[in-house]
Amino acid sequence: MAIIIDGKKISSDIKNELKARVENITAKGIKPKLALLLVGEDAASQMYVRSKERYCNDIGIESVVLRMPNTTTEEEVLDIIDKWNNDKTVNGILVQLPLPKHINESKVLLSISPSKDVDGFHPENVGRLVAGLPSYVPCTPLGIYELLKRYKINLKGKHCVVVGRSNIVGKPIANLLMQKEPNANAIVTVCHSAAPDISYYTKQADVLIAAVGSPELIKGEDVKEGVVVIDVGINRVEDLSTEKGYRVVGDVNFAEVSKKASAITPVPGGVGPMTISMLILNTLRSAEKEVYKD
Ligand code: NAD
């Protein structure tokens, strides 16, 4: 039987650890603060922002949430960020994505000061990650890294196959796992939509990371015995037997793949709960001046 990698439990452990760290830094007179900007009325985004606000509140981090209408201009968004960049009491800035179509997302992300970029999307932080320098790492890949570390999965010299090459998950996790350091040092292959047959790659994986967004794309026959599987996918599929009319599945067929895997993350309850803990960890690291010293 595969070990079920319990992201919910690990995230809750981390939350307790962060609470203690916040108490520590607050006792030294530093009050960590996260500023969140939400533009528009997207229901999922509203829910994500509320849970970030709640998490901060639970562990004693101050949060400021600015909720702006859909009609907000790009200039107004840039002005808000400029204000937060120059506010010494703000440690982390998060712009909830997606932004309305009339606002240039890259321009907005580029305007966030790299030292407050707790989502790790600014090109300066991307470059620092690739160069192996201290950086803010995007929260979902950082959560995956933390799960592998806490489950003591030795990656040195192992073949990690990442399916998906997004800036949010695929590229940063590949970069993290190939770093020459004790909890990484893996041999990494990245495959994506141009691969004629992804099973050619997935079958070679000692550790498989699926970040595609395609329900149960990876089947039992696509992996080898003993593989460690990290399923990042969050996909809704119709299920009329449930109250909501749908259920959430990953990019991996859990029933089939868990029979061959040595360890696997469930969906939900695997990678998902880690992301928010990593965002707050990054905010705390900013308050502690762990990445940018000035
Ligand atoms: P994305 O759409 O930006 O990228 C998907 C990637 O998959 C692309 O690089 C594409 O080339 C690749 N791809 C698409 N079809 C493929 C195929 N048939 N074979 C091989 N590669 C293929 O998505 P994303 O933002 O990286 O998210 C991926 C999944 O992870 C989604 O289901 C998303 O909801 C989920 N996600 C979860 C969390 C979390 O748990 N907190 C965070 C981010 C994303």
Side-chain angles (χ1 to χ4, degrees):
M1 255 318 267
I3 292 166
I4 306 297
I5 298 177
D6 188 346
K8 210 169 156 190
K9 175 176 184 305
I10 300 284
S11 180
S12 152
D13 292 347
I14 293 172
K15 193 172 179 181
N16 289 329
E17 294 164 17
L18 293 179
K19 191 166 184 216
R21 255 168 92 168
V22 171
E23 277 163 14
N24 215 353
I25 194 171
T26 309
K28 291 180 190 152
I30 301 165
K31 179 98 183 132
K33 184 162 152 186
L34 175 64
L36 299 124
L37 176 62
L38 172 62
V39 185
E41 282 82 40
D42 180 71
S45 293
Q46 287 179 0
M47 193 188 74
Y48 293 140
V49 167
R50 272 198 305 275
S51 53
K52 288 165 187 169
E53 224 180 340
R54 207 167 33 236
Y55 195 118
C56 285
N57 196 37
D58 287 349
I59 68 160
I61 286 190
E62 193 182 336
S63 62
V64 181
V65 182
L66 207 49
R67 293 180 168 83
M68 301 289 286
N70 225 352
T71 49
T72 308
T73 64
E74 186 176 287
E75 208 186 343
E76 285 170 315
V77 169
L78 295 174
D79 279 349
I80 292 163
I81 291 171
D82 187 51
K83 197 173 120 251
W84 285 342
N85 280 342
N86 291 303
D87 181 344
K88 285 197 165 46
T89 70
V90 171
N91 304 109
I93 299 174
L94 181 135
V95 176
Q96 187 64 47
L97 302 178
L99 286 165
K101 294 265 179 294
H102 64 275
I103 300 176
N104 183 332
E105 212 162 271
S106 316
K107 201 169 164 187
V108 169
L109 295 179
L110 205 65
S111 75
I112 298 174
S113 163
S115 67
K116 299 188 181 186
D117 170 39
V118 287
D119 246 344
F121 295 153
H122 191 287
E124 184 171 319
N125 278 309
V126 177
R128 289 172 77 117
L129 167 63
V130 174
L133 296 169
S135 66
Y136 293 115
V137 176
C139 304
T140 301
L142 190 58
I144 297 170
Y145 176 84
E146 200 60 36
L147 280 178
L148 291 167
K149 187 168 119 188
R150 291 189 185 227
Y151 272 82
K152 297 189 169 38
I153 291 162
N154 179 14
L155 298 176
K156 186 179 175 188
K158 297 281 163 57
H159 189 186
C160 292
V161 175
V162 179
V163 190
R165 59 173 159 187
S166 71
N167 290 337
I168 295 176
V169 190
K171 283 183 200 159
I173 191 62
N175 273 300
L176 265 179
L177 299 183
M178 74 170 82
Q179 297 296 336
K180 190 174 179 185
E181 61 105 344
N183 299 306
N185 219 357
I187 314 303
V188 179
T189 296
V190 180
C191 63
H192 43 75
S193 52
D197 172 16
I198 58 161
S199 75
Y200 170 79
Y201 302 98
T202 58
K203 276 179 191 160
Q204 298 177 42
D206 300 314
V207 178
L208 175 67
I209 298 178
V212 185
S214 178
E216 301 180 325
L217 173 76
I218 295 160
K219 316 272 185 244
E221 66 199 25
D222 300 324
V223 299
K224 68 178 182 188
E225 288 287 341
V227 63
V228 172
V229 178
I230 304 290
D231 189 353
V232 189
I234 301 177
N235 310 290
R236 276 186 185 186
V237 292
E238 190 180 85
D239 185 346
L240 299 176
S241 70
T242 66
E243 202 178 303
K244 290 179 179 159
Y246 69 85
R247 68 196 154 86
V248 174
V249 300
D251 291 339
V252 171
N253 183 315
F254 186 88
E256 291 179 17
V257 173
S258 62
K259 287 192 187 119
K260 291 173 88 176
S262 58
I264 186 167
T265 57
V267 177
V271 174
M274 293 296 290
T275 301
I276 190 164
S277 281
M278 296 300 105
L279 169 70
I280 306 306
L281 171 66
N282 278 347
T283 305
L284 199 51
R285 290 174 76 209
S286 173
E288 291 167 344
K289 305 241 176 290
E290 203 186 290
V291 180
Y292 291 83
K293 304 290 179 199
D294 54 303

